[in-house]
Amino acid sequence: MKQILCVFLAALLFFAPINNLKANANNADEKLDASSEMTKEELILKVKKIFNIEDSFEEFEIDERKSEMGRSYFLNWNDSLKNISIYVNISSKGDILSYEKIYNNNNDNKFILPEFDFKEAKLKAESKLKEILQDEFKNFKLVETDITGLNRYTGLYTLIYQRYVNSVLVNGEGIKIAIDSKTGEIMSYNLNMALSYYLKDKSMFQNKAQIISREEALEKYKKYNGLYLNLHRILDYSSNSLYPIIKYIPVYTRAYDSIYIDAKTGKPKKIYDTFAFGAGVDKMLKEESASNLTGVEREELKKADVKVDVEEAEKICRDIAKLSNKMKLVSSRLEKYNNDADKFSWTLKFSDDNSKYISVTIDANDKTLILMQRDTEMEADKSPKLEEAIKVSESFLKLRAKDILDNLELTPLSYELQTKEQKDLRYIRKLNDKFYILEDGINLSLGGSDAEIKYFNRTWYDKIQVPAIKELKPEEAYEILLDKYDFDLVYTTDYETRKYNLMYSFIKEDEAVLIDAQSGEFLDSFGNPISIKKSGYTDIDKAKDKKKIQLLSDYNIRFLESELKPNETIKQKDFMLLLYAIDRGVFSESIDFDEVYKHLENIKLIHKDEIDKEKLLNRIDLAKFIIRKKGLEDVAKLEHIFKDVYQDANRNGYLILAGKLGLIKASGEKILPDKEVTREEALMIIYNYLFDK
């Protein structure tokens, strides 16, 4: 009986851990896997199998690296005869971190005609990713970014996959994979991770227990970083002047980009702030001879004859920064700032025997402080209290910024976004009871137990024309923002604690938010509407050659409109845009047609007397432009060498060359020179130009 009892107890002890493992399968498996490392031989064989690396390579090397992220190995195969190199980085646990295969040849910058489209590229990519990642592949999702799609010269499809853990996006982590559009071969793969080389290790990720709701987080976000009715400043250099035309457009935007709400505490956190103040220095004044000066040059020298000389500037700077005689003046410069023809500043740099320095910039006429920066390190154990920092800053502003003090407002997040080492305060400009100008204001950083000002920066433009508008309400602007972006949970990286923290934020937000305060449209930084997606036309099904048109769109050769309108006659400006896109490659929704024509004039594809942007084009027009693009205009002008190969060509060299080269499709023995060209036909002419055999 005793023996049976012992066996029974042993069985209980044996099965109990198994039951616990089943109950916590993921955690146990991860800990078990995390403790095991593969041998170098196993790692090499794994890479060779996944990427079909042959045994014929004549050279191979392996390097080992170790860091907080873990241990990894760099593998390199090389074949000098075949001009092929392969580079791989793989973790000791077998996670492939990067792969690149390079054929050392030159494509001569020719457009490549793919053998398959993006959909098939996606299937090929995901088949390989499943092989590389195994079960972890389910934690990656395809997203569209600026680099997604087909590269015009390499012929590679690029796909981006973002990483998710516990169904939550991991900010900044993911996979970039590139596939040859001819062969379907994987040419590169990059796995980006922040804290560990081991994908299965989820121990660094906060769990979702006891987090605040999305609705509560959104209300806190609005409280701390609401939308301001802002006069957004645009610097327009289209006049080719040294100084821009300054415009203001009313928009709703936020004081800070990339603010997150902690999902556990509900407190705001600034993970990455793209906002930056600056003095806007454009150029240094150079010493010129006083003889043989033009009127413009004399006027500029007159402006540069500022009220404050360098000796007085030094006294002012020393007084502002409270500098002792140990700090010696080491450099000074007088220069323009704020993109303004009439604004000059003195920047003086001081240093002591210990190589400590301070830089101070003042207005060279009204003596106001623009910028002050010390190289003093912030000490966490001597951090000032926030109340003291605000008190010191406001006393300083009364002394050094009294001319604008009534128009400054401390942002709410200045009370929340603080570190142990220093206190950062941001004062923004309020123009009146209605508008803010977020590009203007003052930034300060204070450190030490006495709340010393370590950094001060003022940006302020005087020439402002306030527009009269009937604006949206802030609530309406927020609805527009929420309609475009998802506000949800995201993991952010904390490098100090080596943890992934749960935060709420706007997802897939890759630019500063500017919402037109009147129309509600999203604007780019130049004030142009952002409305077109490069993924395709909404009416592409009306086209006869959908695949070819989509391929051109993948190469960013397309019309600005979201509609193709394939049967409409093409205007000159739209065909010029297609020719421009061949050269420049990057499609922009806010393209400037003046820039398009200027470029095409410079390369002699159109002459000034031919410009008529709204003109409806016929085949003679298109033949002329495409033959110029082909570099055959000199041949086309030799009309005496051409025979009447088309009944209606009238020995026109442009038409005959375009027809015989397959750029323009003839109708039997006629080429129909006066026939108006549709938008789809124009795209086919571009296609034939790029991919003719």
Side-chain angles (χ1 to χ4, degrees), residues 135-143 160-171 173-175 199 202 205 208 486 488-491 507-508:
D135 290 342
E136 285 297 317
F137 174 68
K138 68 180 182 293
N139 295 323
F140 290 84
K141 294 180 183 178
L142 179 68
V143 293
I160 305 294
Y161 292 81
Q162 288 180 328
R163 186 187 182 195
Y164 287 75
V165 171
N166 302 324
S167 301
V168 175
L169 174 68
V170 184
N171 200 40
E173 295 196 354
I175 291 169
L199 271 172
K202 309 296 193 306
F205 290 85
K208 293 184 182 178
D486 294 325
D488 212 338
L489 284 170
V490 61
Y491 277 114
I507 310 296
K508 299 177 184 176

Side-chain angles (χ1 to χ4, degrees), residues 494-529:
D494 188 329
Y495 289 98
E496 288 186 11
T497 62
R498 296 194 60 76
K499 295 286 185 183
Y500 291 93
N501 297 327
L502 275 170
M503 300 280 178
Y504 282 99
S505 186
F506 285 95
I507 310 296
K508 299 177 184 176
E509 189 181 345
D510 53 2
E511 69 271 332
V513 171
L514 299 177
I515 300 173
D516 190 299
Q518 298 183 89
S519 68
E521 291 183 288
F522 278 85
L523 307 178
D524 63 18
S525 59
F526 299 101
N528 300 306

Side-chain angles (χ1 to χ4, degrees), residues 303-321:
K303 289 178 187 175
D305 187 18
V306 294
K307 293 180 180 178
V308 178
D309 60 20
V310 67
E311 288 79 13
E312 186 179 359
E314 181 179 356
K315 291 177 184 177
I316 294 169
C317 291
R318 285 186 177 277
D319 179 50
I320 290 172

